[in-house]
């Protein structure tokens, strides 16, 4: 008899970051991350992650109750394989946005569990064939001091990344240019230089800034989320004006929003994150039109598994965040690539000492 999902366990972690991260809109000095474990009737488990950037996570019992009421009652006694392949038809009051990216945690845990049951590494279960994914270094550095920025990117060069991303979008353009100079001084001029404005600009301002950066001697490989996420017309305006800089967009959009970008040729690169099932769907659409994909930050870089299975993926983001303190063995970086383990599932397990020291609360659902 096929084993089914029987119980779940939720951990909520709270500990300081090793540096202040952020962009033109937000900053964060604490790691507020949660872990969801799903267990089948044979004791196998799948692991996924949820998080908050703006406020502490509530107690695990609160999250667990929310999970039970909205999700677990529809998952219990079912196989993970049936759930990851299930098509739903949300309408009216059935459309509910889960807080803290709990939907992504569920998706990640289900795929992890299904791959373990198939005795395959997750990237192979997705259909991927390579376990080394090209990565770029990212400081998430908007609120760091100049010295912190220089020291961080200097240290990151030990990984031999072929590209580095810098947070921009300051009201003073001179400050943005100074940041680009700092990073270039740290990593050299050979690696590609990407920037991320996190919706700081209007279309005309985005064009003006890129041209100013180029005039100052900084060729920009891609600009990420330069304007408001739903301004498809504005993205097309920027894409048309900037012949040598790629437009990377979609981080803040759901699957429907990403589909709009693809259908309107509004971006050169579509940004995906930790929703594995959604990533497969948008990857199919991008493949139809030959549009590239970049993988943004995912907890502990576990999203590199889905990147392996998407031929259009050109880069995966690695920000060297200390949220990987909660896992027993983080993924390694080798010559600018994220190396995926060849063990069943995604290969990440919670660190027992972190559970004891960094997780104020744990709760189970049965």
């Amino acid at each position: 008899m096929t084993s089914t999902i029987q119980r779940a366990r939720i951990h909520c972690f709270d500990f300081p970051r090793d540096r202040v991260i952020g962009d033109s809109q937000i900053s964060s000095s604490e790691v507020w991350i949660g872990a969801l474990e799903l267990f089948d009737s044979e004791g196998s488990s799948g692991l996924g992650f949820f998080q908050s950037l703006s406020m502490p996570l509530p107690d695990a019992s609160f999250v667990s109750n929310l999970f039970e009421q909205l999700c677990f009652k529809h998952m219990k006694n079912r196989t993970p394989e049936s759930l990851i392949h299930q098509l739903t038809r949300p309408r009216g009051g059935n459309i509910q946005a889960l807080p803290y990216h709990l939907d992504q945690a569920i998706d990640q845990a289900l795929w992890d569990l299904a791959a373990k049951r198939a005795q395959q590494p997750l990237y192979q279960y997705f259909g991927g064939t390579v376990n080394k994914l090209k990565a770029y270094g990212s400081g998430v550095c908007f609120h760091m001091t100049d010295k912190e920025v220089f020291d961080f990117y200097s240290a990151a060069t030990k990984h031999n990344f072929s590209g580095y991303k810098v947070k921009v979008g300051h009201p003073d353009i001179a400050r943005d240019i100074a940041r680009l100079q700092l990073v270039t001084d740290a990593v050299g001029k050979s690696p590609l230089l990407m920037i991320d404005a996190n919706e700081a600009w209007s279309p005309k301002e985005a064009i003006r800034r890129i041209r100013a950066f180029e005039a100052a001697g900084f060729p920009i490989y891609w600009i990420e989320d330069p304007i408001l996420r739903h301004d498809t017309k504005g993205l097309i305006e920027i894409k048309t004006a900037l012949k040598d800089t790629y437009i990377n967009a979609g981080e803040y959009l759901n699957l429907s929003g990403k589909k709009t970008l693809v259908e309107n040729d509004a971006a050169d690169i579509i940004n995906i994150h930790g929703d594995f099932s959604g990533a497969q769907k948008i990857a199919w659409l991008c493949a139809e039109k030959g549009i590239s994909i970049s993988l943004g930050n995912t907890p502990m870089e576990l999203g590199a598994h889905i990147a392996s299975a998407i031929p259009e993926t050109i880069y995966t983001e690695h920000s060297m965040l200390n949220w990987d303190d909660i896992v027993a063995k983080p993924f390694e970086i080798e010559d600018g690539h994220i190396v995926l383990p060849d063990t069943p599932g995604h290969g990440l397990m919670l660190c027992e000492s972190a559970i004891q020291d960094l997780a104020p609360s744990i709760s189970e659902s049965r």
Side-chain angles (χ1 to χ4, degrees):
M1 183 176 179
T2 303
S3 61
T4 57
I5 294 172
Q6 293 300 308
R7 63 187 181 94
R9 184 162 59 203
I10 285 176
H11 311 258
C12 290
F13 296 88
D14 184 344
F15 56 99
R17 295 189 181 275
D18 57 0
R19 68 184 193 273
V20 176
I21 68 165
D23 53 41
S24 63
Q25 310 302 317
I26 63 170
S27 66
S28 173
S29 59
E30 294 285 322
V31 177
W32 295 313
I33 192 166
L36 166 67
E37 294 179 284
L38 295 176
F39 298 88
D40 67 14
S41 48
E42 293 183 352
S44 295
S45 65
L47 176 64
F49 300 95
F50 56 96
Q51 64 172 313
S52 172
L53 285 174
S54 58
M55 64 185 68
L57 290 170
D59 186 88
S61 61
F62 178 90
V63 180
S64 183
N65 287 334
L66 185 71
F67 170 72
E68 285 183 28
Q69 293 300 314
L70 297 180
C71 310
F72 190 59
K73 62 183 180 181
H74 304 296
M75 299 167 60
K76 191 172 181 180
N77 297 320
R78 296 186 60 185
T79 66
E81 294 84 2
S82 69
L83 290 165
I84 60 178
H85 293 113
Q86 175 180 262
L87 291 177
T88 59
R89 189 177 182 273
R91 294 290 188 274
N94 286 324
I95 300 177
Q96 300 182 52
L98 292 175
Y100 320 118
H101 302 289
L102 265 172
D103 53 338
Q104 292 189 11
I106 294 168
D107 188 65
Q108 294 160 6
L110 288 171
W111 280 101
D112 183 33
L113 180 53
K116 286 178 178 176
R117 287 154 59 104
Q119 288 295 299
Q120 285 187 299
L122 183 55
Y123 73 90
Q124 290 182 3
Y125 190 69
F126 280 135
T129 58
V130 297
N131 71 336
K132 293 183 179 180
L133 288 303
K134 186 169 71 171
Y136 66 88
S138 177
V140 204
C141 58
F142 194 86
H143 299 280
M144 295 162 61
T145 67
D146 287 350
K147 183 179 186 307
E148 288 170 341
V149 168
F150 182 82
D151 290 347
F152 174 85
Y153 284 94
S154 295
T157 59
K158 69 182 180 182
H159 298 303
N160 199 28
F161 293 120
S162 58
Y164 293 87
K165 190 171 79 177
V166 187
K167 292 291 188 182
V168 294
H170 196 276
D172 183 359
I173 191 172
R175 198 264 198 176
D176 280 348
I177 291 175
R179 277 295 162 95
L180 296 178
Q181 184 65 61
L182 270 175
V183 174
T184 302
D185 289 345
V187 306
K189 292 187 176 181
S190 295
L192 297 174
L193 189 62
M194 301 90 148
I195 59 174
D196 187 353
N198 298 96
E199 302 187 323
W201 303 323
S202 67
K204 287 188 181 298
E205 181 64 11
I207 296 167
R208 187 180 81 89
R209 293 258 178 157
I210 297 296
R211 288 175 175 165
F213 298 157
E214 292 174 340
F218 304 106
I220 304 301
Y221 179 63
W222 82 44
I223 167 63
E224 190 171 325
D225 293 316
I227 62 175
L228 294 175
R229 66 200 72 183
H230 294 294
D231 188 357
T232 305
K233 182 180 177 181
L235 286 171
I236 294 172
E237 179 184 346
I238 299 169
K239 184 170 177 279
T240 302
L242 301 176
K243 301 301 183 182
D244 298 322
T245 297
Y246 294 109
I247 307 303
N248 184 323
E251 173 183 0
Y252 301 115
L253 297 175
N254 61 15
L255 184 59
S256 295
K258 289 179 172 66
K259 178 172 176 282
T260 298
L261 294 180
V262 173
E263 290 177 336
N264 288 276
D265 291 319
D268 302 291
I269 303 166
I270 300 298
N271 193 324
I272 63 174
H273 279 76
D275 179 357
F276 294 152
S277 298
Q280 289 182 311
K281 296 178 177 67
I282 195 62
W284 186 88
L285 293 175
C286 287
E288 284 285 286
K289 302 195 73 170
I291 297 176
S292 297
I293 285 175
S294 69
L295 181 81
N297 275 320
T298 57
M300 279 57 75
E301 288 65 55
L302 64 82
H305 280 281
I306 190 66
S308 172
I310 300 176
E312 284 68 39
T313 304
I314 57 173
Y315 259 123
T316 58
E317 183 170 11
H318 200 307
S319 296
M320 293 149 280
L321 299 169
N322 70 316
W323 57 7
D324 59 13
D325 288 353
I326 71 171
V327 295
K329 187 178 181 182
F331 297 159
E332 296 179 356
I333 312 173
E334 183 179 295
D335 194 27
H337 291 68
I338 297 171
V339 181
L340 298 172
D342 282 319
T343 54
H346 56 52
L348 295 171
M349 297 182 296
L350 292 177
C351 175
E352 289 301 322
S353 62
I355 292 174
Q356 295 174 9
D357 299 336
L358 304 177
S361 57
I362 303 171
S363 184
E364 290 208 17
S365 299
R366 295 180 181 273

